[in-house]
């Protein structure tokens, strides 16, 4: 079982963000904005919601968490390291030559269920895992976290259309709705609105929340435990680059890595 | 072949409770007996092959031996990236079954001509590629695929293919096996998939002194079997219902070249490849009509050594 740290989940989220910034700075890597936007969701998930034992990551009874927005894997690696799935020092190997810590989520990393990098892949797989859970009358749940831009991919909508048919109420989809995708604002590329009613019309239970408010994240995840034959989606309204003022809502920080000065400023920002 | 496949899959599912069959809304009058016998290990996922391949990966992660079934290019080309990344990269226990290999659905047109998938699938690590030559081979390959723990592609013909192997093959097929069908001296035909009947008839009807080998496996081919054939025959004809590029004949050439480089053979025998020459055919026609049009035919002169 995951042990809750002696710190609050908010502090855990801050630590995730600091590790993310350190990693992308050291590796001069992209995608910091999307890792910061989902940090609070990861913090709540790994601070007691997910039933996963860092010492027994393949336990049959565990909850399955599949991160689909693999480009934001720094957030997941940080959460796992901070929860002792592997040594925190390993994060220094992120994107380094010969490292297993690829800059898209790698299933070679302890605690990672699935490699992801090509968008629109993990949700159909999560649906398959949930279907297996149903066929086995299992009590564990499946949680899949996708980006908003990723919902341009048709494969996701095949899975979204399919899931209610099989009554997959053991499946929770979380959308990190940070309103920005690779080349522009979501509303300008392919608008997802009306978003909530889209999912409702697909026969999903929808919970729309502030994806940085830990109480709301927790409450929504609790509501998702309801066994009513419907898959659940949490639309988490988030801010890309959340927590670092000069990164917030900036397309540039989908690509840029902070230099040493920017890293220092960013961490100060988080600590204030 | 599809009947042999489903009958054998039912046999496998009786003794292996991990066997799970997904179909993409195709398989009318084929899959029903499986669905009736094993409703908890069967699902029609609808007309959505990318989702089907992803679901198969998810089921396989949870320990199932998952078959995905559709026709033509739909369970392969349509979801090629899911096959590469979700299934093969994670090395999951998923079997992809396509009915209607080659020009089996001839008059339905190029949308239904499965003539490029060997080349695409061959390049993907962890993938095993099978194409039975007759219903007996289809049964053996279904048993093989169920036992093999990893990704596997099975290209079937459709219904009503005649038996080529005169009696039941008693040995189980092992990965990469080659089956000898006719015995000759200096020339051999290497056939894969449903071309086998045509090849054996041609050799028999023309009383040719040629060996015929069926290759149920295109990837990998067991070099222990293949190497002696390169040493024995002066001339080899490969035949397949697939584009020449990247197909079975290409694989044979590559094996020969590797063996030459590794000094396992002193020279490469003369190899003639019979395959589709980089062309689509938009003419309506039966399977045999399109095979003829595409030049997938033997000539007695080919057998002169
Ligand atoms: Mg986004």
């Amino acid at each position: 079982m995951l042990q809750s740290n002696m710190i609050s989940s908010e502090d855990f989220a801050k630590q995730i963000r600091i590790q993310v910034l350190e990693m992308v700075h050291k590796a001069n890597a992209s995608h910091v904005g999307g890792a910061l936007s989902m940090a609070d969701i990861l913090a709540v998930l790994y601070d007691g919601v997910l039933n996963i034992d860092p010492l027994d990551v393949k336990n049959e009874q565990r909850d399955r968490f599949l991160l689909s927005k693999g480009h934001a894997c720094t957030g997941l690696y940080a959460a796992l390291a901070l929860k002792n799935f592997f040594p925190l020092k390993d994060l220094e190997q992120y994107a380094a030559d010969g490292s297993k810590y690829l800059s898209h989520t790698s299933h070679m990393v302890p605690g990672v269920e699935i490699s992801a990098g090509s968008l629109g892949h993990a949700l159909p797989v999560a649906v398959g895992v949930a279907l297996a859970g149903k066929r086995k009358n299992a009590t564990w749940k499946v949680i899949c976290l996708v980006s908003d831009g990723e919902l341009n991919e048709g494969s996701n909508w095949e899975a979204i259309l399919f899931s209610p048919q099989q009554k997959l109420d053991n499946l929770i989809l979380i959308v990190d709705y940070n309103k920005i995708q690779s080349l522009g604002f979501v509303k300008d590329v392919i608008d997802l609105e009306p978003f909530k009613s889209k999912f409702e019309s697909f026969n999903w239970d929808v919970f729309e929340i502030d994806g940085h408010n830990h109480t709301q994240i927790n409450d929504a995840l609790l509501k998702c435990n309801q066994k009513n034959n419907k898959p659940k989606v949490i639309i988490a309204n988030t801010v890309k680059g959340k927590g670092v003022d000069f990164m917030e809502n900036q397309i540039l920080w989908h690509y840029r890595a902070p230099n040493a000065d920017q890293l220092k400023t960013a961490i100060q920002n988080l600590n204030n | 072949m599809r009947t042999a496949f489903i009958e054998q899959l039912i046999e496998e599912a009786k003794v292996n409770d991990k066997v799970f069959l997904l179909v993409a809304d195709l398989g009318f009058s084929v899959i029903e007996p499986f669905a009736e016998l094993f409703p908890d290990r069967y699902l029609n996922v609808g007309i959505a092959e990318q989702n089907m391949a992803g679901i198969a990966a998810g089921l396989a992660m949870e320990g199932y031996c998952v078959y995905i079934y559709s026709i033509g290019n739909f369970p392969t080309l349509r979801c090629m990236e899911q096959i590469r990344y979700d299934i093969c990269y994670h090395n999951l226990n998923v079997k992809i079954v396509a009915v209607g290999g080659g020009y089996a659905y001839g008059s339905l047109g190029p949308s239904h001509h499965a003539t490029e998938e060997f080349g695409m699938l061959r390049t993907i690590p962890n993938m095993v590629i099978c194409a039975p030559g007759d219903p007996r081979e289809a049964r053996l390959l279904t048993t093989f695929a169920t036992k093999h723990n990893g990704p596997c592609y099975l290209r079937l013909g459709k219904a009503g293919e005649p038996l080529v192997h005169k009696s039941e093959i008693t040995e189980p097929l092992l990965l990469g096996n080659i089956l000898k069908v006719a015995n000759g001296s200096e020339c051999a035909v290497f056939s894969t998939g449903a071309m086998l009947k045509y090849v054996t008839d041609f050799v028999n009807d023309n009383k040719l002194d040629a060996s015929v080998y069926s290759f149920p496996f295109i990837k990998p081919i067991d070099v222990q079997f293949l190497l002696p054939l390169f040493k024995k025959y002066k001339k080899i004809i490969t035949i397949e219902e697939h584009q020449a590029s990247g197909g079975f004949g290409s694989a044979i050439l590559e094996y020969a070249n590797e063996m030459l480089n590794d000094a396992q053979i002193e020279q490469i025998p003369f190899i003639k490849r019979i395959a589709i020459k980089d062309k689509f055919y938009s003419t309506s026609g039966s399977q045999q009509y399109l095979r003829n049009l595409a030049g997938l035919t033997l000539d007695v002169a080919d057998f002169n050594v």
Side-chain angles (χ1 to χ4, degrees):
Chain A
M1 186 64 194
L2 268 179
Q3 295 301 309
S4 188
N5 288 358
M6 295 311 286
I7 58 168
S8 68
S9 63
E10 281 83 0
D11 279 337
F12 179 31
K14 188 169 89 180
Q15 288 184 14
I16 291 173
R17 289 190 165 96
I18 291 170
Q19 292 299 330
V20 164
L21 289 161
E22 299 273 7
M23 271 188 269
V24 292
H25 164 69
K26 187 163 192 294
N28 193 26
S30 293
H31 304 131
V32 62
L36 295 176
S37 67
M38 67 174 187
D40 293 297
I41 299 164
L42 290 174
V44 173
L45 284 172
Y46 281 93
D47 201 47
V49 170
L50 290 175
N51 173 27
I52 308 177
D53 183 349
L55 300 176
D56 188 11
V57 293
K58 292 293 172 194
N59 188 300
E60 176 63 27
Q61 298 309 318
R62 76 193 184 282
D63 291 327
R64 278 74 164 159
F65 175 67
L66 286 77
L67 179 68
S68 192
K69 44 177 292 185
H71 55 281
C73 62
T74 46
L76 180 57
Y77 293 164
L80 292 171
L82 289 162
K83 286 292 181 183
N84 303 313
F85 283 76
F86 50 84
L88 196 60
K89 198 171 164 48
D90 279 16
L91 296 181
E92 292 170 16
Q93 292 300 308
Y94 172 69
D97 286 349
S99 162
K100 68 182 166 192
Y101 298 93
L102 297 170
S103 61
H104 283 90
T105 324
S106 172
H107 69 289
M108 302 299 167
V109 173
V112 173
E113 298 281 353
I114 185 175
S115 287
S118 179
L119 297 174
H121 278 250
L123 180 58
V125 177
V127 167
V129 174
L131 181 64
K134 280 280 163 193
R135 293 292 169 106
K136 295 174 175 181
N137 293 315
T139 52
W140 42 263
K141 56 184 176 283
V142 187
I143 298 180
C144 182
L145 175 54
V146 300
S147 73
D148 45 13
E150 172 170 22
L151 288 172
N152 295 172
E153 292 283 1
S155 52
N156 283 323
W157 292 99
E158 291 183 2
I160 292 164
L161 187 61
F162 170 89
S163 299
Q165 184 73 31
Q166 293 303 317
K167 304 182 169 59
L168 301 181
D169 53 15
N170 56 348
L171 174 67
I172 302 167
L173 171 64
I174 304 174
V175 184
D176 179 13
Y177 193 14
N178 62 26
K179 319 293 188 298
I180 292 178
Q181 57 189 92
S182 189
L183 281 188
F185 290 95
V186 169
K187 67 174 168 38
D188 298 326
V189 181
I190 299 180
D191 197 354
L192 292 169
E193 296 296 341
F195 201 19
K196 190 177 179 195
S197 61
K198 264 194 191 70
F199 276 106
E200 283 169 345
S201 71
F202 276 73
N203 282 323
W204 285 59
D205 270 348
V206 190
F207 306 96
E208 191 166 11
I209 60 163
D210 172 350
H212 301 304
N213 180 318
H214 288 220
T215 307
Q216 288 190 29
I217 300 168
N218 242 316
D219 287 351
L221 284 164
L222 265 176
K223 285 177 192 159
C224 287
N225 288 331
Q226 200 196 347
K227 293 294 165 230
N228 61 352
N229 293 329
K230 288 172 83 175
K232 315 292 190 288
V233 56
I234 297 172
I235 298 174
N237 288 292
T238 57
V239 174
K240 194 149 181 167
K242 176 71 179 181
V244 179
D245 56 10
F246 62 92
M247 292 183 178
E248 288 188 359
N249 274 316
Q250 301 294 318
I251 289 166
L252 182 68
W253 290 97
H254 187 78
Y255 302 97
R256 181 166 287 184
N259 62 29
D261 285 344
Q262 288 165 326
L263 175 67
K264 204 173 147 199
T265 312
I267 293 175
Q268 278 170 359
N269 224 287
L270 283 166
N271 281 323
N272 288 334
Chain B
M1 275 191 207
R2 62 187 191 193
T3 312
F5 158 73
I6 201 73
E7 285 176 3
Q8 191 59 41
L9 190 64
I10 287 169
E11 293 308 309
E12 302 299 331
K14 282 177 185 167
V15 294
N16 180 347
D17 65 3
K18 298 294 182 196
V19 173
F20 203 118
L21 175 64
L22 300 176
V23 303
D25 207 33
L26 286 169
F28 180 71
S29 82
V30 179
I31 49 84
E32 291 84 349
F34 187 100
E36 280 164 26
L37 280 167
F38 311 105
D40 56 335
R41 289 185 277 145
Y42 164 81
L43 188 61
N44 176 6
V45 301
I47 310 162
E49 294 79 10
Q50 293 182 69
N51 193 40
M52 177 165 69
I55 289 173
L59 287 168
M61 282 178 176
E62 296 303 326
Y64 286 106
C65 170
V66 190
Y67 278 78
I68 65 176
Y69 177 99
S70 189
I71 72 173
N73 299 306
F74 312 149
T76 54
L77 275 58
R78 182 58 178 258
C79 48
M80 190 56 76
E81 208 203 5
Q82 279 79 11
I83 292 172
R84 174 186 179 270
Y85 191 57
D86 302 344
I87 296 171
C88 288
Y89 177 55
H90 292 83
N91 202 13
L92 293 170
N93 200 14
V94 177
K95 323 298 163 183
I96 299 147
V97 182
V99 179
Y103 294 123
Y105 290 110
S107 60
L108 300 189
S111 64
H112 285 59
H113 298 165
T115 46
E116 291 83 28
E117 87 282 27
F118 290 162
M120 298 192 192
L121 293 167
R122 266 186 64 211
T123 59
I124 304 177
N126 293 335
M127 179 58 86
V128 170
I129 303 177
C130 311
D134 82 341
R136 290 201 206 281
E137 289 187 23
R139 280 183 183 275
L140 292 172
L141 284 171
T142 305
T143 302
F144 163 83
T146 308
K147 289 196 167 68
H148 177 77
N149 185 18
C152 187
Y153 170 61
L154 193 53
R155 181 211 259 208
L156 302 177
K158 41 179 189 178
E161 286 90 350
L163 295 174
V164 177
H165 298 281
K166 291 186 187 69
S167 55
E168 210 61 65
I169 304 161
T170 48
E171 294 286 300
L173 272 184
L174 303 176
L175 182 65
N177 276 179
I178 303 167
L179 298 171
K180 192 169 193 177
V181 183
N183 197 24
S185 52
E186 293 190 313
C187 181
V189 186
F190 290 1
S191 173
T192 193
M195 295 302 298
L196 185 63
K197 172 69 176 160
Y198 165 76
V199 172
T200 52
D201 284 354
F202 186 90
V203 168
N204 286 334
D205 294 350
N206 292 286
K207 300 187 168 51
L208 296 165
D209 175 24
S211 294
V212 176
Y213 293 90
S214 182
F215 284 66
F217 295 92
I218 290 157
K219 179 194 176 185
I221 299 168
D222 191 330
V223 293
Q224 301 297 325
F225 291 86
L226 191 56
L227 179 63
L229 306 186
F230 284 139
K231 289 179 173 170
K232 177 174 180 185
Y233 297 103
K234 292 197 172 110
K235 187 167 191 180
I236 291 166
I237 302 163
T238 68
I239 188 162
E240 66 197 294
E241 209 166 353
H242 186 275
Q243 302 287 349
S245 171
F248 167 61
S250 295
I252 295 296
L253 288 177
E254 288 166 20
Y255 276 107
N257 188 62
E258 285 292 310
M259 288 174 189
L260 185 71
N261 276 302
D262 295 345
Q264 292 175 292
I265 51 176
E266 285 170 17
Q267 58 178 23
I268 295 176
F270 182 91
I271 297 175
K272 179 188 168 88
R273 282 190 300 162
I274 298 174
I276 307 163
K277 293 178 177 63
D278 199 24
K279 207 165 161 18
F280 290 118
Y281 289 93
S282 27
T283 316
S284 177
S286 68
Q287 183 171 26
Q288 192 54 56
Y289 181 90
L290 286 165
R291 283 178 177 178
N292 292 342
L293 197 64
L296 305 185
T297 51
L298 293 164
D299 190 320
V300 174
D302 292 339
F303 291 78
N304 296 332
V305 178

